[in-house]
Amino acid sequence: MKKVIDREICEIVGEILGSYDKGKTIDHTEVFAQPDPDAVIDILKKLFKIVFPGFFRDKTFRFYNISSRLTVLIEDVMYNLNRQVAIALRQNEKYSDESEEEVNLAAEEICVTFFKKIPMIREYIETDVKAFFDGDPAAYNENEIILSYPGLYAIVTNRLAHELHLLEVPLIPRMMTEHAHSKTGIDIHPGATIGKYFFIDHGTGIVVGETTIIGDNVKVYQGVTIGALSTRGGQRLKGVKRHPTIEDNVTIYSGASILGGETVIGRGSVIGSNAFITTSIDPETRVTIKNQELVLKSGKKDVVKNDIDIMEVGNYHI
Amino acid sequence: MKKVIDREICEIVGEILGSYDKGKTIDHTEVFAQPDPDAVIDILKKLFKIVFPGFFRDKTFRFYNISSRLTVLIEDVMYNLNRQVAIALRQNEKYSDESEEEVNLAAEEICVTFFKKIPMIREYIETDVKAFFDGDPAAYNENEIILSYPGLYAIVTNRLAHELHLLEVPLIPRMMTEHAHSKTGIDIHPGATIGKYFFIDHGTGIVVGETTIIGDNVKVYQGVTIGALSTRGGQRLKGVKRHPTIEDNVTIYSGASILGGETVIGRGSVIGSNAFITTSIDPETRVTIKNQELVLKSGKKDVVKNDIDIMEVGNYHI
Amino acid sequence: MKKVIDREICEIVGEILGSYDKGKTIDHTEVFAQPDPDAVIDILKKLFKIVFPGFFRDKTFRFYNISSRLTVLIEDVMYNLNRQVAIALRQNEKYSDESEEEVNLAAEEICVTFFKKIPMIREYIETDVKAFFDGDPAAYNENEIILSYPGLYAIVTNRLAHELHLLEVPLIPRMMTEHAHSKTGIDIHPGATIGKYFFIDHGTGIVVGETTIIGDNVKVYQGVTIGALSTRGGQRLKGVKRHPTIEDNVTIYSGASILGGETVIGRGSVIGSNAFITTSIDPETRVTIKNQELVLKSGKKDVVKNDIDIMEVGNYHI
């Protein structure tokens, strides 16, 4: 028996190896040509420790002196981010013919520029924490928000990844935001530009597209899509503004869809639950679906109820 | 070159350390003042092993004797939960001036009270497993439900976290339910009170708010929100009943929203897919959206179809 | 004090052990009778390394020779899958009375048959990567899709788990797809049969039921349900075709629901966002919700807007 299975394995290995030889996209066998997903996630986790120095402690070493702890942490992230960025840059045409030294130098410059943005990113994140606390009666305190709110995790990840996206690092920003998407169900592309005091409630099912621009003080609830109209353009639409602009102080309640690169939601507007919007909305406008008709059947009588006004309806963070 | 990067890092560390000094909420640097998310998740995993002693085996040690295995496991969880609860209690005003010894004693009492509830919690969970199996033709057997159903994971986590919530432990119950939210896409606040035989199908996108009360034998499908009406009250609404009451034997199909602290869904009612409900519904009522009008375009002819009755529509667990 | 807590723990252990003795479903204490969730997830991760040999590198060992690397990997997965399948088969009535040797032999045969399918599975996955790249202007390149797109992760997992499902392995296929569901928010049952060039956009909230049949070149967006009509049949419906058939070249936009075992969506049809469909649709038909009426309130004037045509509306991958 043992010999039969040995022969089978030999044959299986041969068949699978053979299937790598057909020039398919998925046939690359050189693992060191791709950024390492585990390394990128590890970098993201450590960036959270830098952003929130008093949360998310480190198991492996323990410095009581914040300055030594931070220095070690930053050198660690710098070194590893540098390596991953250098690998990713190879996939950018601009660098495909450069020497290894040139690419490493470019990666180093990107990392230094990125790290210099961190104090500014932290200023933005502070405003988000405030917006979450002010908007949610279920929040025990700000610490609970930092330790457990998925919406905050998603916006912090976007703010970090967005800076790498602006520095034209391929793949890595998206790997970061897809990690956040996986953890939170909130899918914000690293290309999306988001203002201060951003508040996400619950969050599962939210989609925010690559070329979206969002102002300050915007609130977004679960299941909201800020997406593109489908014009079947596929790859030809690369780089075109395909997603909406949301101005300051807009609230978008659960399940609403706002689509299209020319759609602008004017400042101070409120978009009601499940509204489907493909054209611009003036400032200070409240948009709701007109009277959803419900049928209530109860024993003998049938009642059609038509008076539900979902104006002002949303729902707080649980 | 090496020296340039060294100087850069030095400068970056200085700037980031400087950014911790501005009195922001996110500037705390004392990591030991916060419960540890990893430790809390580890406690939750071990509680699952206690709830389901024949599933989720332990890699690190292996006792064939169930009694020794359980004793070791309980002592382990007790010790670690105790530590985390003591840290969290510090954030409750009631304990902020107490001595370390007093806080530890309070944490110990909470843990003992919590553990004494476990047999009762297990009785409830047994009813949930039954409800999942009875409701889902795709379920192979009960073991499949325990090993892989996200809905069961979410309700078990709620039942455990809810008891800690009732014991007024800050942060930790929410960290547990947000871990379940992250794993399952199901967002049940630890404050929600849920009766026996609870059945969640698919589950992604479900939101159940803090002050929700749910009776026995309730079925909830993917994308359902049991939430609050937005009255822009923010933190002023803390503690107020803002979420609905769902009585016994109610079924709520996918995508429905039920909102408001005074909304009561009467026993035996069925809420159809995508219904949006902000007022109370009498017992034994079937509520559906009236005739969604569809436009069908096919070559030359346009047809408006208006006869789809979504009464009784939902969908089984895949 | 120490003695009090010791006595308490003793009592708690007694009570919990006592609660295992009541004949409940969740009372099994024999952990080795169940497949191990961690082992199954580890197998799935290694299968990804076999499918995409140039991505997802291995930390623990490092072979530069692809052939040695693959041989070691396949033997490892073969051995571990074999063990888990043998445990799972015990839960199939067919094998419940067989000797251990017989069950192991059956497990071995299943594993060999499964591995021989891998080159064919890889052919299908290559078509999916192409469909993702062609359909999404936000995709940087194919590598980004493989490294970070949740939709690809979900369909690859389905393609692997589906083969184990066809080989009638209990529990394990579902444990794999529920792991993908947890990571991606996309819930595809291992029983679902899916053609080539499948494209999932964003994905959170998608549900695809057990008996669904999907043709080639189908595109599905976030929040789509391909589910069953509820006929309250529960376990009696096991094995019955309860989910729709989707023919070639169909596009289903976000939030649409298609329900029922006799529902067929004809080839080339496009189903608009949020449509709710419970009957068959002819080929080459475009189905949309008729004019969602929106109410716009802005200062003094109220406007009812009724001209939004959501035909052709969807949204690209962010």
Side-chain angles (χ1 to χ4, degrees):
Chain A
M1 183 55 221
K2 188 66 180 63
K3 277 191 185 148
V4 176
I5 191 80
D6 279 356
R7 211 180 320 122
E8 294 277 24
I9 285 184
C10 217
E11 203 183 297
I12 285 167
V13 170
E15 282 167 20
I16 294 179
L17 279 173
S19 94
Y20 292 166
D21 255 357
K22 304 192 167 161
K24 294 193 294 296
T25 306
I26 64 172
D27 286 350
H28 306 303
T29 55
E30 178 41 83
V31 292
F32 301 102
Q34 303 296 339
D36 177 0
D38 292 339
V40 171
I41 291 168
D42 188 57
I43 287 165
L44 183 62
K45 280 187 186 156
K46 285 173 177 160
L47 286 170
F48 267 77
K49 290 179 188 175
I50 294 172
V51 168
F52 302 106
F55 299 81
F56 315 116
R57 76 190 64 158
D58 208 310
K59 293 287 176 309
T60 47
F61 56 88
R62 183 166 163 173
F63 289 90
Y64 288 95
N65 179 291
I66 174 73
S67 160
S68 343
R69 179 149 63 90
L70 191 74
T71 309
V72 171
L73 196 56
I74 287 178
E75 283 192 21
D76 175 354
V77 178
M78 198 73 136
Y79 173 76
N80 285 296
L81 183 61
N82 212 353
R83 283 187 58 187
Q84 298 301 321
V85 168
I87 294 168
L89 284 182
R90 283 274 169 224
Q91 308 206 7
N92 183 332
E93 276 179 27
K94 216 165 95 185
Y95 296 99
S96 54
D97 295 332
E98 301 281 344
S99 71
E100 200 174 314
E101 206 187 342
E102 285 297 318
V103 174
N104 284 343
L105 212 64
E108 209 163 76
E109 262 174 52
I110 285 170
C111 288
V112 166
T113 312
F114 171 70
F115 266 90
K116 289 189 167 169
K117 294 272 176 71
I118 287 182
M120 180 273 289
I121 297 172
R122 292 187 72 248
E123 296 289 336
Y124 272 72
I125 292 168
E126 173 77 4
T127 70
D128 299 326
V129 173
K130 283 212 166 68
F132 274 71
F133 186 65
D134 291 344
D136 180 8
Y140 188 84
N141 59 21
E142 287 92 345
N143 298 334
E144 189 179 62
I145 290 165
I146 296 168
L147 287 166
S148 70
Y149 276 41
L152 189 75
Y153 190 92
I155 182 62
V156 170
T157 303
N158 167 272
R159 297 205 185 283
L160 294 164
H162 183 60
E163 295 301 327
L164 291 170
H165 175 92
L166 292 177
L167 293 165
E168 294 180 49
V169 178
L171 310 196
I172 293 174
R174 184 66 181 272
M175 290 165 81
M176 289 177 168
T177 56
E178 284 299 344
H179 178 69
H181 183 192
S182 173
K183 265 181 81 84
T184 66
I186 301 165
D187 183 357
I188 309 179
H189 194 281
T193 304
I194 301 178
K196 292 184 173 179
Y197 295 95
F198 190 57
F199 175 43
I200 295 172
D201 210 355
H202 307 297
T204 307
I206 287 174
V207 171
V208 179
E210 182 181 14
T211 62
T212 302
I213 296 170
I214 294 180
D216 294 342
N217 263 310
V218 170
K219 296 187 193 337
V220 175
Y221 289 72
Q222 72 270 25
V224 163
T225 294
I226 304 176
L229 285 162
S230 169
T231 51
R232 297 170 180 250
Q235 279 289 327
R236 275 170 297 137
L237 292 172
K238 208 166 193 152
V240 175
K241 183 165 186 331
R242 309 179 302 282
H243 306 95
T245 296
I246 313 292
E247 295 184 351
D248 296 348
N249 305 317
V250 166
T251 298
I252 308 172
Y253 284 122
S254 64
S257 298
I258 300 173
L259 307 177
E262 294 175 23
T263 302
V264 178
I265 306 298
R267 53 176 299 138
S269 287
V270 177
I271 309 299
S273 277
N274 301 326
F276 198 98
I277 297 191
T278 59
T279 53
S280 291
I281 298 293
D282 287 338
E284 308 294 340
T285 308
R286 298 170 165 210
V287 182
T288 50
I289 301 183
K290 185 158 180 291
N291 302 339
Q292 185 191 51
E293 275 186 285
L294 296 177
V295 184
L296 285 75
K297 297 195 188 188
S298 162
K300 295 124 256 178
K301 57 184 158 63
D302 274 28
V303 182
V304 176
K305 221 173 153 179
N306 197 356
D307 56 358
I308 292 173
D309 182 5
I310 61 173
M311 193 63 250
E312 273 303 288
V313 154
N315 55 80
Y316 278 112
H317 204 293
I318 50 167
Chain B
M1 184 55 221
K2 188 68 179 62
K3 277 192 185 147
V4 177
I5 189 80
D6 279 358
R7 209 180 321 122
E8 294 276 24
I9 285 183
C10 216
E11 203 183 297
I12 285 167
V13 170
E15 281 167 20
I16 294 179
L17 279 174
S19 94
Y20 292 167
D21 255 358
K22 303 193 168 161
K24 294 193 293 294
T25 307
I26 64 172
D27 286 351
H28 306 303
T29 55
E30 178 43 81
V31 291
F32 301 103
Q34 303 296 340
D36 176 1
D38 292 339
V40 170
I41 291 169
D42 188 58
I43 287 165
L44 183 61
K45 280 186 185 157
K46 285 173 177 159
L47 286 170
F48 267 76
K49 290 180 187 175
I50 294 172
V51 168
F52 301 106
F55 300 80
F56 315 116
R57 79 190 61 157
D58 208 309
K59 293 286 176 309
T60 47
F61 56 88
R62 184 167 162 172
F63 290 90
Y64 289 92
N65 179 290
I66 173 71
S67 160
S68 343
R69 180 150 62 90
L70 191 75
T71 308
V72 171
L73 197 56
I74 288 178
E75 282 192 22
D76 175 353
V77 179
M78 197 73 135
Y79 173 76
N80 285 296
L81 183 61
N82 211 354
R83 280 187 59 187
Q84 298 300 322
V85 168
I87 294 168
L89 283 183
R90 282 273 169 225
Q91 308 204 8
N92 182 333
E93 277 180 28
K94 215 166 96 185
Y95 296 98
S96 54
D97 295 332
E98 301 281 342
S99 72
E100 202 175 312
E101 206 188 342
E102 286 295 319
V103 173
N104 284 342
L105 212 63
E108 208 163 77
E109 263 174 51
I110 285 170
C111 288
V112 166
T113 311
F114 171 71
F115 266 90
K116 289 189 166 168
K117 295 271 176 71
I118 288 183
M120 180 274 289
I121 297 173
R122 292 187 72 249
E123 296 289 337
Y124 272 73
I125 292 168
E126 172 77 6
T127 70
D128 299 326
V129 173
K130 283 212 165 69
F132 275 70
F133 185 66
D134 291 343
D136 180 9
Y140 188 84
N141 59 22
E142 287 93 344
N143 297 335
E144 189 179 63
I145 291 165
I146 295 168
L147 286 166
S148 69
Y149 275 41
L152 190 75
Y153 189 91
I155 181 63
V156 170
T157 304
N158 167 271
R159 296 206 186 283
L160 293 164
H162 183 60
E163 295 301 328
L164 290 170
H165 175 92
L166 293 177
L167 294 164
E168 294 180 49
V169 178
L171 311 196
I172 293 173
R174 183 66 180 273
M175 291 165 81
M176 289 178 169
T177 57
E178 285 298 345
H179 178 69
H181 182 192
S182 173
K183 265 181 81 83
T184 67
I186 300 165
D187 183 357
I188 309 179
H189 194 281
T193 306
I194 300 178
K196 291 184 172 177
Y197 295 95
F198 190 57
F199 175 43
I200 295 172
D201 210 355
H202 308 296
T204 307
I206 288 175
V207 171
V208 179
E210 181 182 15
T211 61
T212 301
I213 296 170
I214 294 180
D216 293 343
N217 264 308
V218 169
K219 296 186 192 337
V220 175
Y221 288 71
Q222 73 270 25
V224 163
T225 294
I226 304 177
L229 285 162
S230 169
T231 51
R232 297 167 181 253
Q235 279 290 326
R236 274 169 298 135
L237 292 172
K238 207 165 196 154
V240 175
K241 183 162 186 335
R242 309 179 302 282
H243 306 95
T245 297
I246 313 293
E247 295 184 351
D248 296 348
N249 305 315
V250 167
T251 298
I252 309 172
Y253 283 122
S254 64
S257 298
I258 300 174
L259 308 177
E262 294 175 24
T263 302
V264 178
I265 307 299
R267 52 177 298 138
S269 287
V270 178
I271 309 299
S273 276
N274 301 327
F276 199 97
I277 297 191
T278 59
T279 52
S280 291
I281 299 294
D282 287 338
E284 308 295 341
T285 308
R286 297 169 165 212
V287 182
T288 50
I289 300 184
K290 184 157 179 293
N291 303 338
Q292 184 191 51
E293 275 187 285
L294 296 178
V295 184
L296 286 74
K297 298 195 187 189
S298 162
K300 294 125 254 178
K301 55 182 159 63
D302 275 27
V303 182
V304 175
K305 221 173 152 178
N306 197 354
D307 56 359
I308 292 171
D309 182 5
I310 61 174
M311 193 61 249
E312 272 305 288
V313 154
N315 56 81
Y316 278 111
H317 204 292
I318 49 167
Chain C
M1 184 56 219
K2 188 68 179 62
K3 278 193 185 147
V4 177
I5 191 81
D6 278 359
R7 209 178 321 121
E8 294 276 23
I9 286 183
C10 217
E11 201 183 299
I12 285 167
V13 170
E15 281 168 18
I16 295 178
L17 279 174
S19 93
Y20 292 167
D21 255 358
K22 305 194 166 159
K24 294 192 294 294
T25 306
I26 64 173
D27 286 350
H28 305 303
T29 54
E30 177 42 82
V31 292
F32 301 102
Q34 303 296 340
D36 176 1
D38 292 339
V40 170
I41 291 169
D42 188 57
I43 287 165
L44 183 62
K45 279 187 187 156
K46 285 172 176 158
L47 286 170
F48 267 76
K49 289 179 187 174
I50 294 171
V51 168
F52 302 106
F55 299 80
F56 315 116
R57 79 190 62 159
D58 209 307
K59 294 285 177 308
T60 47
F61 56 89
R62 184 167 162 170
F63 290 90
Y64 288 94
N65 179 290
I66 173 71
S67 161
S68 345
R69 180 150 61 91
L70 191 73
T71 309
V72 171
L73 198 54
I74 288 178
E75 283 192 22
D76 175 352
V77 179
M78 197 73 134
Y79 173 76
N80 286 297
L81 184 59
N82 211 352
R83 281 186 59 185
Q84 298 301 321
V85 169
I87 295 168
L89 284 183
R90 283 274 169 223
Q91 308 205 7
N92 183 333
E93 276 180 28
K94 216 166 97 184
Y95 297 99
S96 55
D97 295 332
E98 301 281 343
S99 71
E100 199 173 314
E101 207 187 339
E102 286 295 318
V103 173
N104 284 343
L105 212 63
E108 209 163 75
E109 262 174 53
I110 285 170
C111 288
V112 166
T113 312
F114 171 71
F115 266 90
K116 288 188 168 170
K117 295 271 177 71
I118 287 182
M120 180 274 289
I121 297 173
R122 292 188 71 249
E123 297 289 337
Y124 271 73
I125 291 167
E126 173 77 7
T127 71
D128 299 325
V129 172
K130 283 212 166 68
F132 275 71
F133 186 65
D134 291 344
D136 179 10
Y140 189 84
N141 60 20
E142 288 91 344
N143 298 335
E144 189 178 61
I145 291 165
I146 296 168
L147 287 165
S148 69
Y149 275 41
L152 190 75
Y153 189 91
I155 181 62
V156 170
T157 304
N158 168 270
R159 296 205 185 283
L160 293 163
H162 182 60
E163 295 301 327
L164 290 171
H165 175 91
L166 293 177
L167 294 164
E168 295 180 49
V169 177
L171 311 196
I172 293 172
R174 183 65 181 272
M175 289 165 82
M176 289 178 169
T177 57
E178 284 299 344
H179 178 69
H181 182 192
S182 173
K183 264 182 81 84
T184 67
I186 301 165
D187 182 358
I188 309 180
H189 194 283
T193 305
I194 300 177
K196 292 184 172 178
Y197 295 97
F198 189 57
F199 175 42
I200 295 172
D201 210 355
H202 307 296
T204 308
I206 288 174
V207 171
V208 179
E210 181 182 15
T211 62
T212 301
I213 296 170
I214 294 179
D216 293 343
N217 263 310
V218 169
K219 297 187 191 338
V220 175
Y221 289 72
Q222 73 270 24
V224 163
T225 295
I226 304 178
L229 286 162
S230 169
T231 51
R232 296 169 182 253
Q235 280 289 327
R236 275 168 298 136
L237 292 172
K238 207 165 195 154
V240 175
K241 183 163 186 333
R242 309 179 303 281
H243 306 94
T245 296
I246 314 292
E247 294 185 351
D248 295 349
N249 305 317
V250 166
T251 298
I252 308 172
Y253 283 123
S254 64
S257 298
I258 300 174
L259 307 177
E262 293 175 24
T263 302
V264 178
I265 307 298
R267 52 177 298 136
S269 286
V270 177
I271 308 299
S273 277
N274 301 328
F276 199 97
I277 297 192
T278 59
T279 52
S280 290
I281 299 293
D282 286 339
E284 307 295 341
T285 308
R286 298 171 165 210
V287 182
T288 50
I289 300 185
K290 185 157 180 291
N291 302 339
Q292 185 191 51
E293 276 187 284
L294 295 178
V295 184
L296 286 75
K297 298 196 187 189
S298 163
K300 293 125 254 177
K301 57 185 156 65
D302 275 27
V303 182
V304 176
K305 221 173 155 179
N306 196 356
D307 57 357
I308 292 172
D309 182 5
I310 61 174
M311 193 62 251
E312 274 303 289
V313 153
N315 57 80
Y316 279 111
H317 204 293
I318 49 167

